Every structure is written in C-alpha cells, then in structure tokens.
Amino acid sequence: DTGVSQNPRHKITKRGQNVTFRCDPISEHNRLYWYRQTLGQGPEFLTYFQNEAQLEKSRLLSDRFSAERPKGSFSTLEIQRTEQGDSAMYLCASTDPGQEQYNEQFFGPGTRLTVL
Amino acid sequence: DQQVKQNSPSLSVQEGRISILNCDYTNSMFDYFLWYKKYPAEGPTFLISISSIKDKNEDGRFTVFLNKSAKHLSLHIVPSQPGDSAVYFCAGAFAAGNKLTFGGGTRVLVKP
C-alpha cells in the first residue's frame, strides 16, 4: 500500500469555475476525512465519511462544496463557482479506528488550489 | 473559536539540543491529542499521541507531556536533528476516529 493519494496535486482555475478533487485512501481504511489548510494556519476539518456515509460536515463547508464517497473507497470533493477565498491546500486523510493504535489519521500530499 | 493554540510560530534550536514545542487547548472534553510534522509540499505525518488519561508518552526521541489542569501539552525532541526541521502541529480529538482540531503550527529550524 502506497498510502493516501490525491489528484491533482495542483489546480489553477478562474473564479466561477467548478473544480473536483479526488482522494484514494489507504486500502481498507473505513474513515476518510477532508481538511483545508490556508497559509500559516493548521488544517481545518471539512467533512468525513464512515464507509460511504457522510457523518459530519463543518459549518465552514458552504453549499458550494460537496463531497462523495460512493462505494466507500475513493472520495471526491467538488467546489462549484469557485471564489478567490477558496484558494488553499485541500488535504485528505484516512484511518481505521479498529486498526490504528492511536487512531492517527494518515494524510495525503494534498491538492493545492489557486483561484485567479 | 480556536480550541487548540500554538502560541510560538517558530523555534530555532542547535543540533543535539532539546526542542520544546508548546500547545494550549480550551476544550477539556478532548479524549486524546496528537502531534504531526509537516514538510513543505507534503501532507502532515503522525508523530506521537497521548490519551487524556495519561500525563506522558514517549517514543524514541519524542516525548509528549500533558497537563490537564493547565490544559497544556508539550512535545520534547531530544536530541534535535537537522531532519527535524519542519512545521509541527498539535491536534485534539474527541473520540476514536473522529475529526482532528489543529493548532496553527510551530516552525522548527534545527541548525547544524
């Protein structure tokens, strides 16, 4: 297993366009998380899935954001009508509370979004 | 409402010496705390964690101390190595597998 992967690594878009990011978690990790990190800040929780069920969404997640995990494996995060304030690093993480001793989450390398 | 704070944005230490990173939290309901390290262009990497019922956890060069009455935890790195130069984040979590609440990070520079 090569860990959590995210695609694309970088995305530049114009304001108003839609973007979609993909996250492939560690195999058999049933929980998948999305975080957003802006410059100089720590990651902020956006949403998480237990298998295919979306269990929690942050109030930071506006209606323009939607996330899916249709088969309980990979996940997508879509941002509609992007705004310059959406520019950030989007991080995905996965874990299996039954396996990981300290319930640590394993992070992917992130997708850096720049909205012009 | 910033529930986890790292008040020192940066730290510089000589190779071989001790690095002490501090973290304060406001929510006494956190069940455990974790420390992550982050290099540029990479995702955060788990370092060490501590349950809220413990006051110390040690793993090699890394030791985390928890003072619940002060709502404060610290990470000690001994001895510090140049490869430890990175941004360190502390995070709190409420229950197994639940979301992490991160501090703002401390950038550590270990000088050879």
Side-chain angles (χ1 to χ4, degrees), chain B residues 66-88:
Chain B
L66 175 62
N67 182 334
K68 289 188 70 176
S69 60
K71 295 183 182 175
H72 177 84
L73 63 155
S74 61
L75 175 68
H76 293 207
I77 308 174
V78 181
S80 299
Q81 300 173 353
D84 295 332
S85 297
V87 178
Y88 290 77

Side-chain angles (χ1 to χ4, degrees), chain B residues 5-11 20-24 88 104-108:
Chain B
K5 290 185 180 180
Q6 295 175 254
N7 292 318
S8 298
S10 64
L11 171 69
I20 300 176
L21 291 78
N22 294 303
C23 180
D24 297 298
Y88 290 77
T106 296
R107 182 177 300 277
V108 173

Side-chain angles (χ1 to χ4, degrees), chain A residues 10-11 15 17 21 27 37 39 44 51 56 66 70 73 75 78 84 107 109 114:
Chain A
H10 303 274
K11 179 69 176 179
R15 188 175 51 191
Q17 297 295 304
F21 311 141
S27 299
Q37 184 179 18
L39 197 62
E44 290 180 301
N51 299 312
E56 186 175 349
S66 62
S73 56
S75 176
E78 180 183 16
Q84 287 184 326
F107 283 82
T114 301

Side-chain angles (χ1 to χ4, degrees), chain A residues 4-9 21-24 34 90-93 107-111:
Chain A
V4 179
S5 61
Q6 293 187 245
N7 288 289
R9 294 292 306 274
F21 311 141
R22 175 175 170 133
C23 171
D24 288 88
W34 286 99
Y90 289 84
L91 293 163
C92 176
F107 283 82
T111 294

